Amino acid sequence: MPDRYTSQITFLYYHDFDRAIRFVEDVLAVDLVMDQGFARIYRIHDKAFLGIVKERDASIDTRNKGGVLISINVADLDAEYERVKELQPPGLTAPKTIERIPLRSFFFQDYEGYHYEMQAFLNDADRTKF
């Protein structure tokens, strides 16, 4: 397969941009790689990024925030859960094993309703893919 894609950015749009910044920097604890003023881009891993944008500067219709789940693979799910739990994000669930995939994960939301999942695949073959 040719390397025609070089990276990936998921952009989310926020009414309260300053609160979104605090959420991404504190709860997700990821590094800022670009600050454009109206948008910020954070590195999740290598060439995978999360962008946040001031809603009033959006290039798309931002009224519907449903149907989006940001899943982030982590090396140590239990340690990540304990860290995130201290910050008390909305909708935080306990870690759970999903046998049919198989993986362990927990879920939470940010303050404008976007859904996040921290997950760890349970078998080596899946871990090496992601």
Side-chain angles (χ1 to χ4, degrees), residues 99-118:
E99 296 291 343
R100 66 186 170 107
I101 296 179
L103 63 75
R104 286 189 73 232
S105 69
F106 65 91
F107 295 86
F108 55 95
Q109 295 174 13
D110 68 18
Y111 302 107
E112 292 199 22
Y114 289 111
H115 294 265
Y116 288 82
E117 174 186 28
M118 297 283 187

Side-chain angles (χ1 to χ4, degrees), residues 65-90:
K65 294 183 180 180
V68 174
L69 174 63
I70 305 298
S71 292
I72 301 171
N73 293 300
V74 298
D76 185 339
L77 187 78
D78 294 323
E80 200 61 25
Y81 177 74
E82 291 303 318
R83 186 189 65 77
V84 170
K85 185 169 83 169
E86 293 295 317
L87 299 165
Q88 302 177 357

Side-chain angles (χ1 to χ4, degrees), residues 19-57:
R19 195 171 191 194
I21 290 170
R22 289 191 306 275
F23 176 85
V24 170
E25 293 180 0
D26 295 344
V27 177
L28 299 182
V30 291
D31 294 328
L32 176 68
V33 295
M34 182 179 285
D35 185 349
Q36 300 168 326
F38 70 95
R40 294 168 72 104
I41 300 173
Y42 296 87
R43 182 181 317 279
I44 300 295
H45 183 269
D46 193 24
K47 296 283 187 167
F49 302 90
L50 176 67
I52 63 172
V53 182
K54 290 181 182 178
E55 189 173 64
R56 70 174 182 262
D57 295 317

